[in-house]
Amino acid sequence: MSMGAGWYLRRLSRMGPAEIGGRVGDAVLRRRWRSAPPACPEVTGGRFTAVLPAAALDAVPPDAAKRLIAEADRLMAGRAVFFGVERDDLADPDWWYDPKTGRRAPAGHAFDVPYRDEDEVGDIKQIWEPSRHQYLTVLAAAHALTGDERYAERVAAHLRSWWAVNAPLRGVHWTSGIELGIRLLSWVWIRRLLDGWPGAAGLFEHNPVALRQIWHHQRWLAAFPSRGSSANNHVIAEAAGQFAAACAFGWFPSSARWRADALRSLERQLRRNTFPSGLNRELATEYHGLVLELGLAAWAEADAAGVPVPASVRLVLLRMTDALAAVVDDRLRPPRQGDADDGHGLVVDGTGTDRWGSLLTTGDAVFGRLAWWPAVTGTDVRTPLLAALIRPAAPAAARPASRPAHFADAGMTILRGRDGIWCRCDGGPHGFLSIAAHAHADALSVEVRHDGVDVLADPGTYCYHGQPEWRRYFRSTLGHNTLRLDQTDQSESGGPFLWTRHARSQVLVVDGSEDGHAHWCAEHDGYRPCVHRRRVELAGRELRVVDEVRGPSRRVQLAFHLGPAIHADLVGDRAALSWTRDGEDRSATLELPGQLRWRAHRGESDPPLGWYSPGFGRREPATTLVGTGSADHGTEFTTMLGFHG
């Protein structure tokens, strides 16, 4: 989608003076670079020393290696899936082609590419993702584990192809700092994993084209960091990639300065992007995972290069890891909250490796697991590789003696009942920074699972660009398990990554326990002068949700989104729910407020309603129950969800 003048004015209104000044400076520098781009100094690459210890590859579990090699063989055949789109053209990829729309991004100066406009460029996520070169880290890892030179030769061919087509500052792959940062991190690991291949030095440190690309990537990141209201996960990726490259490829006159500046930025931004409790301030779980992966990878580069890591960096990563261990359900699935675009910091594993289990396994290797952490039975490749580089240090602070249930700063509460009942209650801030780019209008929403199965589900994200009606739906209040008044959202959107008014939530009561009895109460002011207050009580196998509207009479919609595995039989204000888990039939009853008229929706497109997105770019029909009616001051709506034995 293209951005009109109104969007730019709304975006400008969310910036402070310092950010505006910085962006003006960026615009001036971009104009200068159009006519006189920076020149890479003449340099000869030195010896690559950031190699893996000899025992690292031997520590990779056999089943994890098997999954990796199977994935590498699919890639060698040219097959891959990006955001739900199957591709068979990766043996010789067109780096500017979007297979989803059939469009090809225009050529020209990077600063002139309208990358947000799908009609001009195509789906930018489909174009960018292969050029993060994370599929090449998989091929390089397959070479490291097997010694098969076919994998290394394919990596080399694709890198040379990419470098030839994407000259510095030309085309769509030079428009976004997060892409440059993650790509640099991939190149560091590709060089590391190809170290036993005779052609590795000729591909990187003895290759003037590679040296020029590495220098220009770092020069770009040094010049145009994400600023102010945009300094979210993007700035972490930029700093981590810059730091990794300056450590591993420290062959340039500016390398020491880039390394020091990137480490300062990483330390500062990790603290700014993370609550003291350890949860990510964007309140978007997948970005918690992305930031944690990037932070651990940067730590590994520092230790490999002998660069001291500030204790504050280690502390943030420790707290993020403990927080992740605290919020996952019995199947190691974290909350589905806020935006999610399937972004990863470092990929060296095959399909079927559990991302969250992998992060907890790495946390165990680096920090040591606590007694209350959930057990992880899966294996991965990434953990032994990172652990071989990172030198663990004593924790910089006390760690939780028992599993936390309430994260006051993030407004997240996890209620746990019997037999794997898990409930997330949302009473936190709308989002991070003034634009809250990755937030959803989901204040006071609940998310309920039984043994890892979504029963009352957060529908997910589905898309970012190109389909505005779907972007609006998946971010909307109606798109979450909460209450909507007068057919408006609690927070006001100004664009696909911009909120101009934020609902303010407050948790009033938390009484959580591990024995199946818990109570939570919160309210928000998104419908001023009305206040929406919600109480959630979990007792054994029964969950009670009570919604109260305080203020003038309003039209009400109350939505409950069921997971895609749930079959619902709605009769009046009672829904019989059923599903299967591991071959066993399960069931529950949802008793809905009788004051409202209830209707089931599934897979509707005009307007969208009744959908679940299992991952970015993918959606599938799921049942949504919507009750409509009115509320006077003090009206209460009671919902009962009872799980059967």
Side-chain angles (χ1 to χ4, degrees), residues 167-314:
L169 301 178
R170 308 300 297 178
V172 72
H173 296 301
W174 291 86
T175 59
S176 176
I178 187 174
E179 303 305 315
L180 277 72
I182 290 177
R183 191 154 53 239
L184 278 177
L185 184 60
S186 295
W187 291 352
V188 168
W189 274 89
I190 289 168
R191 176 60 185 88
R192 174 175 290 128
L193 292 164
L194 293 184
D195 193 60
W197 179 54
L203 180 62
F204 280 94
E205 55 263 36
H206 297 162
N207 182 357
V209 175
L211 293 173
R212 184 167 175 256
Q213 285 276 351
I214 293 167
W215 185 88
H216 275 284
H217 272 67
Q218 294 185 85
R219 182 68 184 89
W220 195 106
L221 290 172
F224 303 114
S226 292
R227 298 180 183 277
S229 55
S230 294
N232 53 11
N233 65 85
H234 284 232
V235 77
I236 303 293
E238 293 160 10
Q242 175 82 298
F243 179 71
C247 286
F249 303 142
W251 308 315
F252 306 100
S254 298
S255 290
R257 175 169 53 82
W258 287 338
R259 183 167 57 243
D261 290 348
L263 184 57
R264 276 194 299 271
S265 175
L266 186 66
E267 190 275 337
R268 181 173 64 254
Q269 298 298 341
L270 276 173
R271 285 190 288 106
R272 291 187 71 242
N273 276 256
T274 309
F275 286 112
S277 66
L279 290 178
N280 183 264
R281 286 185 184 270
E282 293 197 75
L283 296 173
T285 307
E286 285 217 0
Y287 289 113
H288 181 107
L290 173 65
V291 169
L292 181 53
E293 289 170 352
L294 291 167
L296 290 168
W299 183 359
E301 295 307 326
D303 282 358
V307 176
V309 177
S312 56
V313 169
R314 297 194 298 269

Side-chain angles (χ1 to χ4, degrees), residues 259-458:
R259 183 167 57 243
D261 290 348
L263 184 57
R264 276 194 299 271
S265 175
L266 186 66
E267 190 275 337
R268 181 173 64 254
Q269 298 298 341
L270 276 173
R271 285 190 288 106
R272 291 187 71 242
N273 276 256
T274 309
F275 286 112
S277 66
L279 290 178
N280 183 264
R281 286 185 184 270
E282 293 197 75
L283 296 173
T285 307
E286 285 217 0
Y287 289 113
H288 181 107
L290 173 65
V291 169
L292 181 53
E293 289 170 352
L294 291 167
L296 290 168
W299 183 359
E301 295 307 326
D303 282 358
V307 176
V309 177
S312 56
V313 169
R314 297 194 298 269
L315 177 59
V316 170
L317 299 177
L318 168 65
R319 286 176 170 165
M320 291 184 73
T321 304
D322 281 340
L324 175 63
V327 300
V328 295
D329 64 22
D330 290 357
R331 300 284 180 134
L332 301 184
R333 293 183 61 217
R336 285 166 55 91
Q337 182 180 23
D339 273 349
D341 71 348
D342 298 354
H344 290 256
L346 173 64
V347 180
V348 288
D349 275 284
T351 301
T353 301
D354 179 68
R355 176 186 197 172
W356 309 104
S358 171
L359 280 169
L360 292 178
T361 301
T362 304
D364 185 4
V366 174
F367 302 116
R369 73 186 311 277
L370 296 173
W372 54 263
W373 275 27
V376 179
T377 57
T379 61
D380 70 321
V381 174
R382 185 176 58 192
T383 290
L385 303 188
L386 286 175
L389 298 175
I390 292 175
R391 296 191 293 273
R399 300 171 68 184
S402 59
R403 178 165 55 187
H406 177 59
F407 296 82
D409 47 13
M412 182 188 292
T413 304
I414 306 295
L415 309 180
R416 299 178 189 268
R418 296 175 185 168
D419 303 326
I421 298 173
W422 176 99
C423 174
R424 173 180 64 87
C425 301
D426 181 359
H430 174 62
F432 183 47
L433 301 173
S434 62
I435 64 172
H438 291 298
H440 291 185
D442 57 357
L444 308 196
S445 64
V446 295
E447 184 184 3
V448 181
R449 300 177 191 157
H450 183 272
D451 196 19
V453 174
D454 292 307
V455 179
L456 300 183
D458 183 295

